[in-house]
Amino acid sequence: FDLFRSRFPADRSRPFAETEPGTNNARTVTYGDLEALTGRYANLLADLGLKKGDRVAVQVEKSVENIILYLATVRAGGVFLPLNPAYTKAEVEYFLTDAEPHVFVARPESADALREVADKAKVAHLLTLGTHGEGTLPEQAAGKGTDFATVPAEPDDLAAILYTSGTTGRSKGAMMSHRNLGSNALTLHKYWGFQPDDVLLHALPIFHTHGLFVATNCVLLNGSSMLFLPKFDAEQVMGLLPRATVMMGVPTFYTRLLAHPGLTREATAHMRLFVSGSAPLLADTHKEFSARTGHAILERYGMTETGMLTSNPLDGDRIPGTVGFPLPEVSVRVVDPETGASLGTDAIGIIEVAGPNVFSGYWRMPEKTKQEIKPDGFFITGDVGKVDGRGYVHIVGRAKDLIISGGFNVYPKEVETVIDGIDGVVESAVVGVPHPDFGEAVTAVVLRKPGSATPDEAAVIAVCKEQLANFKVPKRVFFMDELPRNAMGKVQKNLLRDAHKDLFT
Ligand code: ATP
Ligand code: MG
């Protein structure tokens, strides 16, 4: 916190966040407010008996108070643990019993229902926080003083436990230290050329590393302001682009903006930078966005466990379909999954990373930590990719999504790229489903342009046969109106696999 505070503007009346600008809920929180309110909240946490290393679990809607709680928790020496508001009672029970937080902050409307699970997890204090700054947390903090001496933190002390998105299985709690968060924030702030007058358009959720750390920490280090929206709404975002200079988004933000007729060069003339991450940005989306606005979206790659790892350059070619170069201080290598040997240019393998940004392990999962972090400090990302001759990293997919059909490896991305190239196709997802002869059978789910009934299954298969070896060609093709995605815009391939698991058996 003191690193951020050292960067706050000298004039503390400068805005930190404008919530829902242009609506009845519009409100400005200044850097002075931020300093005072994190002090009040930190005093409250300390008075509630929060000790160094104690967890503060939070399942609330997006609000500036939620950010204040994050900062107050680290000021008070605690460990911030945000949870997706969409999690059910049963899921919250898992997270609380796993993390054993000292304090749990819930939405006012769900506090009663969650009291039982909080008691089971031996939570000492259950507080509430609503969307517009109401609830027992702000009420009790209001009576506290604004001065608070930040509890000193060593670089290895934990600042947060962030649960992964659960795309490939049960979410894991990644233990993030002050060094992890601080180093990544400083690196990104510099790499993306933040300037004093930048204004960030913030429409991401803040229970995830993208919205909480990547976006918010850059703003805090910059001492500048953000336009803070409860969620992404294309109409609202279009209206605010003339006031913003930087937007960070997931790929679905960009496809939704492209669907808006108002997206033009003029509409984005005030913007300096559009950043995309958390899921693969289709090369077509990148190109279409460039054509419409003149802005080349800057795609970067990262994970909960490591913060950001690679980024396309601020100055220089932002190449569609790549995630750019390893960030300063981040080492990236591509290894053979069987032998662990480093591979050369253009060879596809497992991506491993090391650096001050890489987490110290999974919360209460020492075995899993040992499996995923090698003795030389490299973390096995589980992502499959390659580094090209110019040093750009390409993500091909996830190791868990790799299909083995008849003993041959099929990378879904390769098949998806062919299908996406067919006229009338918007996007596709290729998965392996159990098959008695082949082990797994390549199966494609395809999204066609709205209102289009072509291509049909036979046509998709015919094009794949022309361009791909036989073992890569989908055995079956299904059509959907929308691919299942989670809150971060990630395609949930496990749901697709489940839906078709009995296809061949
Ligand atoms: P879980 O680990 O629980 O299965 P998850 O991996 O989706 O879920 P996150 O930490 O939110 O959880 O996401 C990190 C993953 O997101 C990366 O490992 C990578 O697969 C994917 N990802 C992030 N940015 C990009 C990108 N620019 N292009 C492609 N994939 C990306
Ligand atoms: Mg993961």
Side-chain angles (χ1 to χ4, degrees):
F1 177 81
D2 285 351
L3 165 68
F4 293 141
R5 181 155 59 183
S6 69
R7 308 286 193 100
F8 283 4
D11 176 2
R12 294 287 206 264
S13 68
R14 296 278 302 270
F16 161 64
E18 277 184 64
T19 61
E20 304 185 57
T23 71
N24 290 339
N25 296 318
R27 189 159 57 98
T28 299
V29 174
T30 66
Y31 274 92
D33 296 335
L34 191 63
E35 203 169 29
L37 287 169
T38 55
R40 288 194 203 281
Y41 280 39
N43 274 313
L44 172 63
L45 292 172
D47 290 353
L48 293 175
L50 188 87
K51 292 187 302 296
K52 198 159 175 169
D54 282 349
R55 277 78 59 204
V56 175
V58 180
Q59 190 197 28
V60 300
E61 299 301 333
K62 183 174 176 179
S63 68
V64 187
E65 283 71 19
N66 189 354
I67 300 266
I68 290 166
L69 180 57
Y70 147 52
L71 294 170
T73 300
V74 294
R75 261 191 105 166
V79 178
F80 188 65
L81 193 158
L83 296 170
N84 186 338
Y87 286 146
T88 61
K89 186 173 165 184
E91 287 164 320
V92 172
E93 177 168 352
Y94 160 72
F95 291 113
L96 293 189
T97 45
D98 187 42
E100 297 186 327
H102 184 71
V103 176
F104 174 46
V105 183
R107 284 167 290 198
E109 63 275 21
S110 44
D112 283 341
L114 291 172
R115 188 165 304 274
E116 181 195 320
V117 299
D119 287 344
K120 229 191 253 179
K122 302 196 182 63
V123 169
H125 302 278
L126 173 60
L127 298 171
T128 62
L129 174 63
T131 326
H132 304 297
E134 72 279 11
T136 57
L137 170 77
E139 277 161 25
Q140 292 182 24
K144 305 291 172 187
T146 56
D147 285 343
F148 184 86
T150 301
V151 174
E154 296 299 322
D156 283 328
D157 287 343
L158 288 193
I161 297 174
L162 233 58
Y163 281 84
T164 60
S165 296
T167 312
T168 59
R170 181 162 244 187
S171 294
K172 301 143 280 183
M175 299 191 285
M176 307 307 293
S177 67
H178 285 261
R179 176 195 286 113
N180 296 151
L181 301 185
S183 70
N184 211 229
L186 287 166
T187 299
L188 296 175
H189 180 261
K190 190 161 169 207
Y191 204 79
W192 293 338
F194 271 87
Q195 297 153 16
D197 51 356
D198 268 324
V199 175
L200 181 104
L201 211 164
H202 195 308
L204 291 160
I206 52 172
F207 53 80
H208 185 267
T209 185
H210 195 168
L212 183 63
F213 297 144
V214 183
T216 308
N217 289 354
C218 276
V219 170
L220 287 165
L221 272 184
N222 205 46
S224 59
S225 71
M226 56 181 167
L227 305 171
F228 199 71
L229 310 181
K231 60 178 189 353
F232 182 87
D233 175 290
E235 193 63 43
Q236 198 179 12
V237 165
M238 285 302 303
L240 291 171
L241 286 177
R243 291 194 49 210
T245 62
V246 181
M247 185 177 91
M248 296 189 195
V250 295
T252 33
F253 286 17
Y254 295 103
T255 50
R256 287 192 211 156
L257 285 178
L258 281 167
H260 194 289
L263 186 80
T264 58
R265 267 172 197 269
E266 295 71 47
T268 56
H270 192 252
M271 291 293 290
R272 171 174 85 75
L273 184 62
F274 288 95
V275 180
S276 176
S278 290
L281 181 75
L282 291 177
D284 270 354
T285 308
H286 190 289
K287 289 173 193 158
E288 218 184 305
F289 201 85
S290 286
R292 283 269 290 280
T293 67
H295 287 279
I297 299 171
L298 182 153
E299 184 172 9
R300 95 304 180 273
Y301 156 63
M303 317 176 60
T304 305
E305 296 94 329
T306 62
M308 298 305 102
L309 295 163
T310 72
S311 172
N312 271 279
L314 185 65
D315 303 310
D317 290 343
R318 301 179 193 158
I319 300 184
T322 82
V323 293
F325 305 112
L327 288 164
E329 296 192 83
V330 177
S331 309
V332 173
R333 68 186 182 200
V334 177
V335 307
D336 183 301
E338 258 95 67
T339 66
S342 276
L343 298 173
T345 303
D346 280 332
I348 291 178
I350 301 283
I351 296 178
E352 297 185 349
V353 299
N357 52 307
V358 174
F359 76 139
S360 33
Y362 292 111
W363 173 257
R364 292 190 177 158
M365 292 172 116
E367 287 309 311
K368 174 113 189 126
T369 303
K370 225 186 268 167
Q371 274 167 26
E372 312 288 336
I373 303 181
K374 290 186 166 176
D376 63 358
F378 274 80
F379 170 62
I380 308 169
T381 62
D383 290 317
V384 180
K386 64 171 190 181
V387 182
D388 69 19
R390 293 177 63 187
Y392 286 82
V393 176
H394 300 238
I395 309 288
V396 179
R398 295 173 185 254
K400 285 196 174 159
D401 291 335
L402 179 78
I403 304 166
I404 305 179
S405 191
F408 294 109
N409 285 358
V410 181
Y411 295 112
K413 178 85 180 278
E414 190 185 358
V415 185
E416 289 160 4
T417 305
V418 169
I419 298 176
D420 293 349
I422 301 174
D423 257 358
V425 171
V426 177
E427 61 177 337
S428 60
V430 168
V431 295
V433 305
H435 189 283
D437 297 335
F438 300 109
E440 286 182 296
V442 179
T443 304
V445 177
V446 175
L447 200 107
R448 288 181 293 218
K449 296 222 163 93
S452 164
T454 55
D456 61 7
E457 177 169 20
V460 171
I461 292 176
V463 173
C464 289
K465 278 199 169 140
E466 263 167 43
Q467 299 188 35
L468 295 166
N470 226 357
F471 67 91
K472 299 178 188 169
V473 174
K475 304 256 175 312
R476 289 297 311 273
V477 178
F478 296 91
F479 297 93
M480 284 178 93
D481 294 332
E482 212 173 330
L483 295 176
R485 289 179 194 277
N486 67 16
M488 298 311 294
K490 297 169 195 274
V491 177
Q492 293 170 296
K493 289 198 166 176
N494 54 338
L495 298 185
L496 297 176
R497 277 190 289 264
D498 276 357
H500 298 294
K501 68 179 189 309
D502 299 327
L503 200 53
F504 301 101
T505 57

